[in-house]
Amino acid sequence: MGLTSSLQFRRQNNKTFLRILMFLVLSCIPGRTNLCSNHSVSTPIDLPPSNPSDIRSSLVSLDLEGYISFDDVHNAAKDFGNRYQLPPLAVLHPRSVSDISSMMKHIVHLGSTSNLTVAARGHGHSLQGQALAHQGVVINMESFRSTDIKIYKGKQPYVDVSGGELWINILRETLKYGLSPKSWTDYLHLTVGGTLSNAGISGQAYKHGPQINNVYQLEIVTGKGEVVTCSEERNSELFYSVLGGLGQFGIITRARISLEPALHMVKWIRVLYSDFSVFSRDQEYLISKEKAFDYVEGFVIINRTDLLNNWRSSFRPNDSTQASKFKSDGKTLYCLEVVKYFNPEEANSVNQETGKLLSELSYIPSTLFSTEVPYIEFLDRVHIAERKLREKGLWEVPHPWLNLLIPKSSISDFATEVFNNILTSNNNGPILIYPVNQSKWNKHTSLITPNEDIFYLVALLPSAVPKSSGRNDLEYLLKQNQRVINFCEAANLKVKQYLPHYETQQEWKSHFGNRWETFSQRKHTYDPLAILAPGHKIFQKTRRLSPIQLSKSKATRTPQSKIFSNTELPKYLDPNV
């Protein structure tokens, strides 16, 4: 019995020794982690140094058609919201898709030896740092713009454009062919990639859906650096992931956008209401009609007296005398704004058609104001207001905007509380409100909307005046926004944020609801190291450790820490952890 025990002891020691030897041998072999089906990302054999100067050197060594800037990063450290200053380590000014792909692959190759993340920046109109990458790499997508706007005429016309192209440039070019995109944002000096990463909403959305519903094809650089062409028929999951995907799955480098015939003129009409229920009923009636206006929006006028001098944007009614006589006496009013496109030779028939439509509405009879302007002037109307604000130094100020998507069943309760009790004026920015049809919005995209047939966009768009106090102060406006959010949550209005911003992953999970698992899995597939779009604070870059780092970390590892082995798939972490 003693001899048997001795032999068993020796065999056990031999097995233990072989296991240790095998572990040491395997630890010296460069690992390879399977990140998703059919693709893998290799761990570098020689781990690059992790100090900033060496990371800079590694970026400089990239073979690029464009260039990298390390010093001139001021503009990339802020956005239109003008509330955050988060400087990147570098800004990439790409000249080709391969520049973007090379940068992504390089950062994937660095893995956990750097904290580098990547944000694609268009015209910089994010509101809360979503296009920033603190000590990461910002890709200046406007450098990627080209004059190569390709337009295809036919039964289903479309335009092929760079993801860094501005919508205003697309409009100018397509109009040369008598064509135009179907759906817009109110402001056209935004990039294609930027709006398609969110939705792209304006008064045409009730009829054509948002901009993300009017795309035939995309070219994407994923979070793994792969260049992929996708559409509804080809790589469809990536296609739908990226549309409304907040930049989490890939960078849009090219888009094929559907077009329609463009008319030359616009009949632009505004009418007023004093009763919100009548106002919303008329809006909903108009978006239910097959043949009605080409654009339906609305806005709220709170505590104003001089109507003519407070019209939003460039609207100049034909009868300015009538408008100047109207006084709101400080009452809350609701303005319905509608548009009909036409050619000059159709002016009489358009007047008859719009007159019939207006006769079916219940606005205040003395408050019908109209004008006619060129098609491009109407679509680019906000840029006119921008120039005026820039002249006064009031454009590059903090913009604590709040955009909400509100179910039809909740809009009356929202309006009663918010427009009567929380908001006391809109003297420093417009308040937009208009309904859209859910049937025009593709549910396969990443965009989250209320689960009702009709929902409203409500956009609170104030500007914080520098060195001001009271209702124009940034802190006051932020608190006002929070009061609105708190009311929506307390009243269970089932509101969803548009251009959402949250601080924790748990809040993001609540935002996505039962679609969170799909969103998270798509992230895992297309950006497994969570490199892209860190400013949203949805996912934190994965810390995937090499065998050498694993062995070094064992001595200092605490029970609460989590080390990812070389055979584990990346895990996503709450940014607050």
Side-chain angles (χ1 to χ4, degrees):
M1 188 72 177
L3 180 60
T4 301
S5 298
S6 178
L7 288 172
Q8 288 175 341
F9 177 76
R10 288 179 183 177
R11 288 175 186 149
Q12 188 64 38
N13 277 347
N14 287 339
K15 288 180 181 179
T16 302
F17 175 76
L18 288 172
R19 285 174 182 156
I20 293 172
L21 180 61
M22 182 64 72
F23 174 79
L24 291 173
V25 170
L26 290 174
S27 295
C28 296
I29 298 175
R32 194 171 181 89
T33 304
N34 185 20
L35 299 176
C36 68
S37 60
N38 303 322
H39 298 290
S40 62
V41 178
S42 60
T43 303
I45 296 175
D46 297 315
L47 293 171
S50 59
N51 67 70
S53 62
D54 288 323
I55 290 176
R56 283 192 182 197
S57 298
S58 74
L59 294 177
V60 170
S61 68
L62 291 174
D63 184 16
L64 303 172
E65 295 178 42
Y67 67 96
I68 298 175
S69 173
F70 295 98
D71 300 319
D72 186 17
V73 300
H74 174 71
N75 286 335
K78 61 178 183 177
D79 59 12
F80 184 67
N82 210 10
R83 292 174 50 208
Y84 298 88
Q85 291 284 336
L86 299 172
L89 175 69
V91 177
L92 171 65
H93 301 268
R95 290 286 183 268
S96 66
V97 177
S98 64
D99 283 356
I100 299 173
S101 175
S102 295
M103 176 61 73
M104 292 303 305
K105 287 180 178 178
H106 181 71
I107 294 175
V108 169
H109 183 78
L110 292 177
S112 63
T113 64
S114 85
N115 290 320
L116 290 180
T117 54
V118 173
R121 178 188 176 91
H123 209 45
H125 271 256
S126 62
L127 296 173
Q128 303 191 74
Q130 291 96 329
L132 309 184
H134 188 225
Q135 290 305 300
V137 177
V138 169
I139 299 179
N140 178 14
M141 294 302 293
E142 288 196 275
S143 293
F144 188 60
R145 275 173 24 199
S146 69
T147 57
D148 188 22
I149 298 178
K150 297 180 179 179
I151 297 169
Y152 296 84
K153 302 175 72 174
K155 290 184 178 180
Q156 290 186 316
Y158 61 84
V159 57
D160 270 343
V161 295
S162 160
E165 192 57 77
L166 297 179
W167 285 100
I168 182 61
N169 295 335
I170 298 170
L171 175 60
R172 289 170 179 153
E173 194 64 25
T174 56
L175 283 178
K176 295 176 183 178
Y177 296 81
L179 297 168
S180 166
K182 300 173 183 177
S183 190
W184 298 98
T185 57
D186 283 335
Y187 182 61
L188 303 188
H189 294 251
L190 304 170
T191 59
V192 168
T195 65
L196 296 185
S197 294
N198 291 283
I201 308 174
S202 186
Q204 303 88 357
Y206 90 89
K207 188 175 184 180
H208 296 293
Q211 289 180 321
I212 59 174
N213 274 45
N214 295 278
V215 181
Y216 291 143
Q217 183 175 288
L218 296 171
E219 179 186 72
I220 305 296
V221 177
T222 71
K224 295 180 287 186
E226 299 167 337
V227 181
V228 182
T229 299
C230 55
S231 65
E232 289 185 350
E233 294 79 28
R234 180 182 179 190
N235 299 310
S236 60
E237 184 179 51
L238 178 60
F239 180 73
Y240 290 127
S241 297
V242 169
L243 294 172
L246 307 176
Q248 293 298 311
F249 312 107
I251 297 170
I252 298 172
T253 53
R254 200 155 189 86
R256 179 171 293 179
I257 300 157
S258 63
L259 302 175
E260 68 176 357
L263 303 182
H264 292 88
M265 295 295 292
V266 165
K267 188 170 185 65
W268 190 358
I269 300 168
R270 287 175 173 176
V271 294
L272 298 178
Y273 296 75
S274 58
D275 187 320
F276 179 79
S277 63
V278 178
F279 166 72
S280 59
R281 184 190 66 202
D282 278 1
Q283 280 192 318
E284 291 170 18
Y285 169 72
L286 288 176
I287 71 167
S288 71
K289 293 179 68 68
E290 284 293 324
K291 292 184 178 181
F293 292 102
D294 295 299
Y295 163 104
V296 176
E297 279 199 16
F299 55 94
V300 187
I301 304 169
I302 300 176
N303 197 22
R304 292 188 178 185
T305 54
D306 186 351
L307 180 67
L308 183 61
N309 292 328
N310 285 290
W311 282 126
R312 181 170 70 95
S313 70
S314 58
F315 182 79
R316 297 180 297 276
N318 293 333
D319 189 351
S320 58
T321 303
Q322 179 192 0
S324 63
K325 289 179 180 178
F326 181 82
K327 301 295 179 183
S328 65
D329 298 324
K331 296 177 182 178
T332 297
L333 296 173
Y334 306 95
C335 179
L336 170 64
E337 183 174 40
V338 292
V339 153
K340 191 71 177 175
Y341 306 147
F342 69 100
N343 287 323
E345 62 272 19
E346 303 166 335
N348 289 334
S349 62
V350 164
N351 286 336
Q352 292 176 6
E353 187 178 351
T354 56
K356 182 178 185 304
L357 288 168
L358 289 169
S359 69
E360 299 168 358
L361 306 180
S362 301
Y363 57 89
I364 301 171
S366 62
T367 65
L368 191 158
F369 309 103
S370 68
T371 188
E372 291 82 37
V373 297
Y375 180 70
I376 190 170
E377 182 179 323
F378 169 73
L379 290 178
D380 199 29
R381 63 199 179 279
V382 179
H383 187 54
I384 297 172
E386 175 190 347
R387 289 200 296 265
K388 294 178 181 178
L389 290 171
R390 283 190 183 278
E391 289 173 1
K392 298 177 181 179
L394 295 176
W395 183 255
E396 294 186 2
V397 299
H399 296 96
W401 290 1
L402 179 64
N403 296 271
L404 303 172
L405 302 177
I406 303 174
K408 172 185 173 180
S409 62
S410 300
I411 194 63
S412 180
D413 290 341
F414 177 91
T416 299
E417 177 63 20
V418 174
F419 300 148
N420 293 334
N421 297 325
I422 297 179
L423 303 183
T424 55
S425 77
N426 61 335
N427 287 314
N428 60 355
I431 302 170
L432 307 186
I433 178 169
Y434 54 92
V436 293
N437 294 311
Q438 181 80 259
S439 61
K440 303 294 184 180
W441 297 54
N442 193 317
K443 296 299 289 184
H444 295 294
T445 70
S446 292
L447 182 70
I448 299 298
T449 62
N451 190 27
E452 289 191 11
D453 292 340
I454 293 175
F455 58 90
Y456 280 74
L457 171 72
V458 176
L460 313 181
L461 310 177
S463 298
V465 180
K467 299 180 181 179
S468 65
S469 59
R471 294 169 184 171
N472 293 325
D473 176 70
L474 175 61
E475 184 178 356
Y476 176 89
L477 293 170
L478 290 173
K479 287 181 178 178
Q480 184 173 260
N481 285 349
Q482 192 58 51
R483 285 183 64 193
V484 173
I485 293 172
N486 290 345
F487 165 71
C488 292
E489 291 177 350
N492 193 27
L493 300 187
K494 298 182 179 179
V495 168
K496 294 295 181 182
Q497 284 192 29
Y498 176 58
L499 310 177
H501 173 78
Y502 299 104
E503 294 293 337
T504 69
Q505 195 178 81
Q506 189 56 48
E507 290 175 309
W508 280 108
K509 288 181 178 180
S510 177
H511 172 78
F512 284 101
N514 59 12
R515 294 177 63 187
W516 167 255
E517 290 302 324
T518 299
F519 189 84
S520 182
Q521 183 56 47
R522 287 175 171 180
K523 180 72 169 179
H524 177 78
T525 300
Y526 300 114
D527 182 23
L529 299 186
I531 292 169
L532 290 168
H536 283 282
K537 300 181 181 178
I538 307 177
F539 304 104
Q540 186 182 54
K541 183 179 179 183
T542 300
R543 303 293 295 175
R544 184 170 58 87
L545 302 185
S546 69
I548 294 173
Q549 290 171 308
L550 274 172
S551 61
K552 286 183 178 179
S553 68
K554 286 181 180 292
T556 57
R557 184 170 167 184
T558 63
Q560 289 78 24
S561 65
K562 171 66 176 175
I563 302 296
F564 299 119
S565 73
N566 210 40
T567 57
E568 281 184 290
L569 292 174
K571 304 292 193 299
Y572 295 126
L573 305 177
D574 187 319
N576 286 340
V577 173

